[in-house]
Amino acid sequence: MKTTEISSCLQVDPSTTSKTLNELANAGYLNHIPYRGVDLTDLGKAYAEFLVRRHRILSLLFTHYGLSTEEACAEVSRFEAFVSRDAVNKFATQWAIQWSVYAEK
C-alpha cells in the first residue's frame, strides 16, 4: 500500500504518515520503501493478528452481556489499547473452559 493511500484513508498529512511508517519500520513491524509503499513483516503480521483477536474477544464479552455488535465494537475501541496480551489470553482460556463445561451437559 502506498503512503498517499494510507494518508488519505486516515485523513492525515502525508508527512505524518511517513514519520509513523518509518517508526514502525524501525521497530520491525513493516517494510517501508519511500515512494513505493509498505508491507508487513512477520512480526507486523503477528501483531496485527493479536490486535484483531483482542478486539474480537473483548467485543464478544460485551455482546455476551447485552450490547449489540455495533455497540460492543464502539465501546471496545475506546479502551482496547490498554488491555494486555496476558489478559486477553486469560479471557480466552476461561471462556474455552466454560464453553467445554456447557458442551458436556
Side-chain angles (χ1 to χ4, degrees), residues 8-94:
S8 178
C9 287
L10 297 176
Q11 299 178 356
V12 297
D13 189 71
S15 65
T16 301
T17 303
S18 291
K19 179 182 177 206
T20 303
L21 292 176
N22 284 331
E23 290 172 0
L24 291 169
N26 289 338
Y29 292 106
L30 55 84
N31 297 309
H32 178 222
I33 302 169
Y35 308 105
R36 302 290 289 214
V38 299
D39 66 325
L40 292 174
T41 62
D42 289 341
L43 178 64
K45 289 175 187 173
Y47 193 65
E49 289 171 4
F50 162 70
L51 295 176
V52 170
R53 180 174 180 260
R54 177 176 65 189
H55 185 84
R56 288 180 178 166
I57 288 171
L58 294 173
S59 292
L60 181 63
L61 173 68
F62 277 59
T63 58
H64 179 75
Y65 287 106
L67 274 70
S68 71
T69 303
E70 294 79 18
E71 291 169 326
C73 182
E75 290 298 323
V76 167
S77 294
R78 294 173 50 185
F79 72 88
E80 65 188 324
F82 299 103
V83 180
S84 70
R85 183 181 305 267
D86 185 51
V88 170
N89 290 338
K90 286 178 181 176
F91 284 144
T93 300
Q94 287 302 309

